[in-house]
Amino acid sequence: MFSTKRTFAGVALATGAALALAGCAGGGSEPGSTYDPDEKVTLDFAFWGNDVRAELYDEAIAAFNEEYPNITVNSTFLGFPEFWEKRQTEAAGGNLPDVMQFDYSYLRQYSQNGLLLDLEPFLGGIIETEPLPQNILDIGVVDDVTTGIATSTNAWGLFTNPVLLEQAGVEDFPGGTWEDYSAWMGEVTEAAGGEFWGGSDFTGRIQNFELQLRAEGGNLFNEDGTPGFDEARLTEFWESGQEVRDGIGVPQQRVEEVVPLGPFDTANTASELTWDNFGSGYLGNLGEDYTELSLLAPPITEEGAKDLYLKPSMLHTISSQTEHPEAAATLVNFLVNSPESGEIFGTNRGLPASETALAAAELDPLSQQVKDHEEAIADRLGDAPPVPIVGYGTLEEKFRQIGAELNFGTMTVDEAVSQFFTEMDVVLNQ
């Protein structure tokens, strides 16, 4: 039985302080390496999504029960904001669902508060690891403990719009450095004659800063939660966008006018740096005149650097309070690894991370494009960075807001750096 809750209540963003739940963790039974198929158990499973995804999970659970008839799965779903509001309430009461679809940005917070089960005893046993490359398995590790299994992945990419480029008479971005990318955007903007722009100020996205830091051998945030950059490096990054902000990139006023959409999916820009699974949404918003997009590798900071990485579109986790860890792990394995899961979900949850699930998934043209992109950038894929710090989402949004102010011209780079470090100090020390 599926249930849904439609609400417009404000999102109660879970913070480290809100989930200081030392008394709520660690009550589940000791996990083993196998599940007794004669044991009758009931599991609660929660995920975010819509009616379409709910129907897919319904079908997947039915397939799961053909193999494991003694495991009853009670599933519920909510929209993304409401999902996390509900989890925060449950975490405070010590009654999280047995199995959860999980977002990467919350993994460290819930793991460090002892709310998620250590999955190590199941790896290579109940949870098959052969279909999951090591760099995928490493995604779910927090403080040397595996608490999540990646269901699907995406990577950073550069989308371009062939229709707009044809109108401008400019060839697609041939690749190169960030300076090369800025120059290419300038060509497009000039050729478009005010109809559209080559792109946006890439220094407004914290992910582009992260790529440059990774190319230099660093991280945005280190495993101990400290920043991997100083004021001088952030100043250098934001100053590098000044040429784009001075007329090459789309003006911030135009960006504000098309909210809640963005400049790329309203045909105001010919390129956009973002996660590679955004293509279908962009095409849906652009309309019937646009039938395809190009997906290219992002600009290069240093040749040969392992600056890119695979990020989980989502993970699956188990509550540390579950009374049935073996059965819960059996369900996680089925939802991540089984051919039935791959065939049923396709790319609804993102490009499957498991090779067995991926082999069974029917890929539409956009999904095939994402698969091809991730294969094409394989030589630039490095280890995933440390799991996002608690409060990462707050800092990501602050970075975006400051980028908008820089693009408006209402803030200097020095003021921007000072403001971001002040905000970061609050987040890291709360």
Side-chain angles (χ1 to χ4, degrees):
M1 177 72 68
F2 290 97
S3 66
T4 185
K5 171 184 173 186
R6 308 199 181 277
T7 175
F8 295 94
V11 183
L13 292 176
T15 65
L19 290 181
L21 306 171
C24 298
S29 59
E30 283 298 313
S33 59
T34 60
Y35 164 69
D36 178 2
D38 294 325
E39 180 188 8
K40 292 188 176 182
V41 303
T42 298
L43 299 175
D44 291 326
F45 170 57
F47 62 94
W48 68 83
N50 53 20
D51 292 338
V52 172
R53 180 171 292 170
E55 291 175 3
L56 296 176
Y57 268 117
D58 197 10
E59 188 177 346
I61 290 168
F64 174 75
N65 283 143
E66 289 183 12
E67 189 171 351
Y68 302 99
N70 288 332
I71 303 178
T72 299
V73 181
N74 294 328
S75 301
T76 58
F77 75 97
L78 295 166
F80 187 83
E82 295 82 13
F83 177 92
W84 291 106
E85 186 179 48
K86 179 71 170 176
R87 300 293 83 77
Q88 181 181 0
T89 301
E90 291 169 340
N95 59 343
L96 285 168
D98 297 282
V99 178
M100 295 164 282
Q101 183 179 283
F102 223 78
D103 187 69
Y104 198 41
S105 62
Y106 291 95
L107 189 64
R108 180 177 296 278
Q109 179 177 334
Y110 279 67
S111 296
Q112 291 184 338
N113 281 294
L115 297 167
L116 301 180
L117 189 68
D118 178 3
L119 303 180
E120 194 67 35
F122 306 114
L123 298 181
I126 293 179
I127 298 177
E128 302 166 75
T129 54
E130 189 173 338
L132 296 165
Q134 190 60 48
N135 63 334
I136 299 296
L137 289 168
D138 290 344
I139 288 173
V141 177
V142 180
D143 298 334
D144 298 323
V145 176
T146 300
T147 54
I149 303 294
T151 311
S152 49
T153 61
N154 52 19
W156 201 246
L158 174 63
F159 281 101
T160 61
N161 187 321
V163 172
L164 296 186
L165 292 180
E166 184 177 358
Q167 290 177 16
V170 177
E171 295 293 321
D172 220 341
F173 178 57
T177 66
W178 295 92
E179 291 79 10
D180 294 331
Y181 177 50
S182 296
W184 176 84
M185 282 195 287
E187 290 180 34
V188 176
T189 298
E190 183 177 0
E195 293 296 315
F196 53 88
W197 290 262
S200 303
D201 174 19
F202 56 81
T203 68
R205 298 292 298 275
I206 200 169
Q207 289 84 0
N208 292 322
F209 186 39
E210 179 182 41
L211 254 63
Q212 294 190 13
L213 294 175
R214 283 174 58 85
E216 297 162 4
N219 285 308
L220 188 62
F221 292 99
N222 301 313
E223 186 64 53
D224 61 3
T226 57
F229 58 95
D230 57 16
E231 289 94 334
R233 185 62 185 88
L234 182 55
T235 298
E236 179 186 349
F237 179 71
W238 270 330
E239 285 180 344
S240 72
Q242 192 59 55
E243 183 182 15
V244 177
R245 294 191 292 271
D246 284 345
I248 288 176
V250 59
Q252 190 63 32
Q253 183 58 45
R254 179 61 67 90
V255 175
E256 301 297 327
E257 289 169 358
V258 300
V259 171
L261 300 181
F264 185 71
D265 49 354
T266 52
N268 278 285
T269 59
S271 69
E272 175 81 351
L273 284 153
T274 192
W275 298 109
D276 60 17
N277 61 336
F278 277 32
S280 60
Y282 285 152
L283 280 178
N285 292 332
L286 282 164
E288 60 185 16
D289 292 337
Y290 301 86
T291 59
E292 63 178 359
L293 299 172
S294 296
L295 178 55
L296 312 171
I300 292 171
T301 306
E302 292 184 17
E303 197 71 45
K306 301 286 188 180
D307 54 345
L308 301 175
Y309 62 93
L310 295 178
K311 168 186 174 291
S313 306
M314 62 180 68
L315 307 99
H316 278 70
T317 63
I318 299 173
S319 167
S320 62
Q321 293 289 299
T322 184
E323 296 180 357
H324 309 289
E326 293 85 4
T330 302
L331 177 59
V332 167
N333 182 68
F334 187 89
L335 293 175
V336 172
N337 278 318
S338 71
E340 295 92 336
S341 179
E343 183 178 358
I344 290 167
F345 285 101
T347 58
N348 178 271
R349 301 177 300 177
L351 195 70
S354 164
E355 293 173 359
T356 52
L358 179 60
E362 183 176 341
L363 303 183
D364 59 27
L366 278 171
S367 300
Q368 184 64 48
Q369 185 180 39
V370 171
K371 182 175 183 291
D372 293 343
H373 168 67
E374 294 184 7
E375 291 174 351
I377 61 172
D379 61 340
R380 287 178 64 179
L381 290 174
D383 294 335
V387 174
I389 60 169
V390 176
Y392 172 81
T394 299
L395 292 177
E396 180 184 11
E397 174 60 14
K398 185 65 175 179
F399 203 96
R400 186 200 66 80
Q401 292 172 353
I402 289 176
E405 294 293 336
L406 287 171
N407 206 18
F408 267 129
T410 55
M411 184 181 293
T412 67
V413 169
D414 286 345
E415 290 169 340
V417 171
S418 175
Q419 191 174 120
F420 185 77
F421 267 78
T422 297
E423 179 75 12
M424 188 167 61
D425 183 62
V426 171
V427 169
L428 296 182
N429 294 290
Q430 62 183 356

